[in-house]
Amino acid sequence: EKPDNGYYEGDIVVPDYVVQNGIKFAVTAIGYAAFRKATITSLQLPKQTLKMIDLDAFNNTKGLKTLDIPEGVTTIAEDAIMNCDDLTHISIPASVEEIGDYAINACYSLESITVDEGNKHFGAFDGVLMDKAQTRLITYPANKAGNTYTIPNTVKNIDEKAFMYLRHMTSLTVPASVSNLSFNMFVAAYSLEEINVDPANTAYSSDDGVLYSANKDSLCIYPAGKPNKSFTPNKTVKIIGPEAFAYAYQLETLDIP
C-alpha cells in the first residue's frame, strides 16, 4: 500500500506475487503511474512474473539512479520512464519486444542505456537506443558524454523527444535517410549549437547550423544553444515553423527578411 501522502519512499521491493483475500496474484506489470513522484533509494522488481512497464510508471521519480529492467519484461509503454532527474543508467533485457513512443524521455541525468545483446528487436548503439536494424532512433541519453553525434545513415525515423534536454552535444549531423525532424525532438536541448544535414537529404537542408526545408522556403529549427546574439534567416524563407526559435536563450535580435 502507498503511504498517506500517496507517494512511495525509501527502499522498494516489488514481489513476484501478492495475496489478497486469500488469493495469490502474479505481479505482471508496473502499472500506470505506480511510482509517479516517488522518492526511491533502491528498487527491486519482480524477476519471475513481470511482463510490462506501463504508461507513466516512472514519472518524476526521484532518487533512483539505476533502473535494471528484469528479463521477462516484453513491453515498455509510451512515456513509461520520464522526468526521472536522478536516473543515470537504464538496462533493457533480451526479452523486450515493444518500446512505445517516447518511452524514455526527459531524464536529465541519463548517461547511458544498455540492451542485452540477445535482444532481437532493440539495441544500444554508441549508447543510443534504437531498433535492431537501426532504422528507428528512440532515445539519445540527455547526459551522454561527447560533443558531436552523427545519426547513422540507416536511420529513417526519429522518435519525438529523442534529443530532449541535451547537456553535452553541440553538433548533430543528419543523414540523407531521415525525413521526420520536428521541434518536439529537441525540447530544451540547450547544448545544441548546430544541426548539419547531408546535402543528399531531399527533405531538409542546413545553413550555418540552422535547419531548413530542402528548398529553404521554411525555417524548421534554430538550435537552442546556438551562441549568436542576432540572426537573419535565409532570404528564401517564407514560413517559420512552429516553435522554431523556442529555448534560443542567447538570441537577442531576429531580423525577418
Side-chain angles (χ1 to χ4, degrees):
E1 294 183 1
K2 288 187 177 181
D4 292 339
N5 67 4
Y7 307 122
Y8 291 108
E9 297 180 352
D11 300 325
I12 306 296
V13 177
V14 183
D16 286 283
Y17 298 92
V18 295
V19 178
Q20 187 172 11
N21 297 325
I23 303 174
K24 186 178 182 181
F25 296 92
V27 177
T28 59
I30 303 300
Y32 170 73
F35 293 111
R36 180 190 287 173
K37 295 186 178 181
T39 301
I40 298 175
T41 51
S42 68
L43 175 67
Q44 181 178 318
L45 296 175
K47 295 182 179 179
Q48 300 175 20
T49 59
L50 194 63
K51 301 297 181 186
M52 182 179 186
I53 309 295
D54 207 350
L55 173 71
D56 262 11
F58 297 92
N59 181 355
N60 201 18
T61 305
K62 306 299 182 185
L64 186 64
K65 296 185 180 301
T66 300
L67 180 58
D68 296 318
I69 299 172
E71 180 67 29
V73 170
T74 59
T75 303
I76 304 173
E78 64 181 57
D79 276 337
I81 305 162
M82 59 185 295
N83 298 314
C84 297
D85 289 347
D86 299 314
L87 190 62
T88 62
H89 177 73
I90 299 171
S91 64
I92 297 172
S95 56
V96 169
E97 300 173 357
E98 180 181 357
I99 296 178
D101 293 338
Y102 29 90
I104 303 168
N105 73 81
C107 294
Y108 182 76
S109 300
L110 189 63
E111 299 173 0
S112 62
I113 300 170
T114 57
V115 180
D116 190 290
E117 291 184 359
N119 192 301
K120 296 179 180 179
H121 304 278
F122 302 98
F125 303 93
D126 191 25
V128 180
L129 180 62
M130 303 186 197
D131 68 340
K132 199 73 169 182
Q134 297 186 62
T135 60
R136 173 193 174 197
L137 193 156
I138 302 168
T139 304
Y140 183 100
N143 198 28
K144 184 180 183 298
N147 296 327
T148 64
Y149 180 66
T150 299
I151 299 172
N153 59 17
T154 53
V155 171
K156 297 179 180 179
N157 296 298
I158 300 174
D159 279 18
E160 296 211 2
K161 306 181 184 178
F163 295 102
M164 196 171 183
Y165 289 3
L166 292 179
R167 297 179 64 181
H168 302 292
M169 187 204 299
T170 58
S171 178
L172 175 67
T173 299
V174 178
S177 56
V178 172
S179 60
N180 73 318
L181 294 173
S182 75
F183 161 76
N184 288 332
M185 297 173 184
F186 300 95
V187 172
Y190 287 117
S191 67
L192 188 62
E193 298 179 4
E194 61 179 25
I195 301 173
N196 298 305
V197 180
D198 187 315
N201 192 303
T202 59
Y204 298 102
S205 63
S206 57
D207 186 2
D208 192 27
V210 178
L211 183 70
Y212 293 89
S213 59
N215 62 2
K216 290 188 172 64
D217 67 350
S218 295
L219 191 156
C220 304
I221 300 170
Y222 182 94
K226 192 170 178 61
N228 300 48
K229 297 299 182 183
S230 63
F231 176 71
T232 302
N234 194 293
K235 292 181 179 180
T236 58
V237 169
K238 298 177 181 179
I239 299 170
I240 295 178
E243 302 187 75
F245 292 93
Y247 302 101
Y249 66 98
Q250 298 190 73
L251 185 62
E252 297 176 358
T253 303
L254 177 62
D255 296 317
I256 304 296

